Amino acid sequence: MKYAHIVGWGKGVPQRVMTNNDLRALVDTSDEWIRERTGIGSRHVAGEGESTCTLATDAAMRALEVAGISPSQIDLIIVATATPDYAFPSTASLVQDALGADRAGAYDLSAACSGFVYALSMGTDVIRAGSANTVLVIGAETLSRVVNWKDRNTCVLFGDGAGAVVLSGSDQPGGVLSSILRSDGSGGDLLIIPGGGSAQPTTADTLERNDHTIRMNGREVYKFATRVMDRTVRELLHKVGWTVEQIDLFVPHQANIRIIESAAKSLGLPMEKVFTNLEHYGNTSAASIPIAIAEAAEQGRLRPNDKVVMIGFGAGLTWAAAAVTWGQPKLVSRSQRTAQRLRYNVTSVRSRLLRSLRRIEGKVFGGRSED
Ligand code: COA
């Protein structure tokens, strides 16, 4: 049986940063309230020309560069997202085209903020089953496009961004060892975008009611998150035979610092072993864990053979956790890295991507196609 190792990682976030003080121009709020209740100080917000696909592609490019893998080596691309560019085609197919990953299958996965861990688990399973050897797993969101900017209960919480990892099959034991995927659909109404789907297609009335934006019962979601985190992590640790003390790095979904601190406390995990970056990104849903992983790796907080536990939770309701032995990425020489960078530089990807998007928009809306 093959093991699925994480051999590359990267993030892609919009340039534009919106601070808590910037939000004061939109809703009745304050930096103090947002920091105290959530731990968030600022978030990145997509600008013109940016979408879930462009952010995902940026993150993927960086992950491939770290892994020293070219797009044509990818067998499968999974994009976990709740904010795809379109209902169809999938964002994963757009990313596949933008990367020039000409041998890859591609699909989107919808499990809201738990999506990345779900996708990591799916990618691992196809490698274990022998159906693929190199899988690009991405969590990407542009939540700013589905937030009601007049609702202070929600608009202060979310941000845009993407994170990606490359999973590679190896005979060497380790990598993604085990995962737990769960759902409780009876809580679906606690965090929902009610309009725009087949249950309630977009009409002038749904737009008037802002049904195409996020509705959330914050208190109930808070209670659910704190309830599932402790018990799911313990169940996962039992599955892989680790103790809480053996965890080297805990990477939770970055929704709220109080939820994270409460989980760490009930697990008996010191905060030094908990990775947080929500102060700078807010809640980026499916992107939050892979962005955190990329930053942890960049900051040298992940060493080969470290025991890493990730846990996501969110709409569905869904929650998911994974235990990972941190991989040893292939050693890529400086010159290989430079060549890689030149071959697949982000600028050329962006321009290909924009061409593809224009082509699709031309076909969908009957405008002139460029090609
Ligand atoms: N600025 C200022 N005041 C705000 C505010 C804001 N951005 N948002 C809400 N308030 C107000 C409320 O209107 C309320 O006022 P009231 O008492 O006059 O009615 C007051 O602050 C307290 O609201 P409450 O909802 O009790 O606050 P809270 O301590 O529960 O914190 C959340 C609210 C949303 C931060 C918290 O419930 C939470 O983080 N929930 C989990 C959300 C989450 O993680 N969702 C994503 C899951 S993937």
Side-chain angles (χ1 to χ4, degrees):
M1 187 190 73
K2 291 275 185 198
Y3 293 87
H5 288 263
I6 295 177
V7 297
W9 47 84
K11 69 171 194 280
V13 294
Q15 279 198 334
R16 184 176 163 213
V17 173
M18 194 182 253
T19 65
N20 292 344
N21 280 327
D22 293 336
L23 284 166
R24 289 173 55 208
L26 303 174
V27 287
D28 179 14
T29 191
S30 67
D31 180 53
E32 193 190 4
W33 191 97
I34 301 170
R35 280 184 190 275
E36 254 176 36
R37 304 287 176 120
T38 70
I40 298 166
S42 60
R43 71 286 294 144
H44 291 250
V45 175
E48 206 180 325
E50 286 178 318
S51 69
T52 299
C53 171
T54 65
L55 301 175
T57 305
D58 283 353
M61 289 294 301
R62 295 198 172 99
L64 291 173
E65 195 184 304
V66 170
I69 281 174
S70 72
S72 58
Q73 289 174 270
I74 304 168
D75 298 312
L76 179 64
I77 300 171
I78 310 175
V79 175
T81 185
T83 48
D85 286 41
Y86 309 99
F88 56 84
S90 72
T91 301
S93 282
L94 300 178
V95 172
Q96 172 270 317
D97 184 46
L99 292 173
D102 46 14
R103 286 182 51 251
Y107 70 92
D108 286 0
L109 184 154
S110 168
C113 302
S114 315
F116 176 77
V117 181
Y118 267 73
L120 191 73
S121 177
M122 295 298 102
T124 298
D125 286 351
V126 293
I127 288 175
R128 285 198 184 143
S131 317
N133 199 57
T134 304
V135 181
L136 182 59
V137 180
I138 304 171
E141 305 283 8
T142 38
L143 291 157
S144 63
R145 306 264 158 87
V146 294
V147 144
N148 178 352
W149 288 103
K150 290 180 180 153
D151 176 14
R152 68 177 183 174
N153 292 294
T154 51
C155 76
V156 303
L157 303 176
F158 299 100
D160 299 337
V165 300
V166 177
L167 283 178
S168 180
S170 161
D171 294 325
Q172 189 186 324
V176 185
L177 298 180
S178 189
S179 54
I180 291 175
L181 312 179
R182 295 284 155 76
S183 168
D184 174 8
S186 69
D189 59 333
L190 298 177
L191 186 47
I192 187 169
I193 297 178
S198 61
Q200 206 186 145
T202 305
T203 62
D205 285 346
T206 65
L207 288 174
E208 177 73 22
R209 290 195 302 267
N210 270 314
D211 284 352
H212 56 291
T213 61
I214 295 174
R215 301 277 169 79
M216 184 183 72
N217 181 331
R219 279 189 198 170
E220 287 307 314
V221 172
Y222 189 100
K223 280 194 241 166
F224 144 72
T226 47
R227 195 168 61 238
V228 296
M229 278 175 86
D230 176 278
R231 70 167 192 235
T232 309
V233 170
R234 287 186 194 281
E235 188 182 335
L236 181 72
L237 292 176
H238 181 71
K239 269 180 89 177
V240 289
W242 295 352
T243 62
V244 170
E245 293 70 35
Q246 283 179 303
I247 298 175
D248 293 298
L249 196 68
F250 182 56
V251 186
H253 172 45
Q254 308 285 309
N256 183 313
I257 194 69
R258 291 188 295 147
I259 294 175
I260 294 173
E261 284 172 350
S262 142
K265 192 172 169 201
S266 70
L267 284 165
L269 200 60
M271 280 306 282
E272 302 84 73
K273 287 190 171 186
V274 181
F275 191 86
T276 62
N277 62 3
L278 81 170
E279 187 188 352
H280 307 295
Y281 297 105
N283 179 348
T284 56
S285 190
S288 91
I289 291 177
I291 291 176
I293 290 170
E295 292 208 330
E298 283 160 16
Q299 293 168 17
R301 292 194 57 185
L302 285 165
R303 294 166 305 270
N305 299 319
D306 268 3
K307 292 180 169 59
V308 183
V309 169
M310 314 167 186
I311 182 160
F313 56 85
L317 300 170
T318 55
W319 61 104
V324 178
T325 306
W326 191 243
Q328 287 166 299
K330 282 183 196 165
L331 288 177
V332 184
S333 71
R334 214 190 167 94
S335 54
Q336 280 174 308
R337 219 180 262 272
T338 311
Q340 184 91 347
R341 198 173 290 136
L342 287 172
R343 264 169 75 205
Y344 307 110
N345 70 72
V346 175
T347 317
S348 77
V349 167
R350 274 225 166 102
S351 63
R352 289 191 61 196
L353 179 64
L354 287 172
R355 271 207 314 278
S356 304
L357 288 176
R358 275 202 292 272
R359 208 169 54 224
I360 290 165
E361 275 167 1
K363 282 176 189 158
V364 171
F365 300 114
R368 259 193 68 232
S369 164
E370 285 247 319
D371 297 337

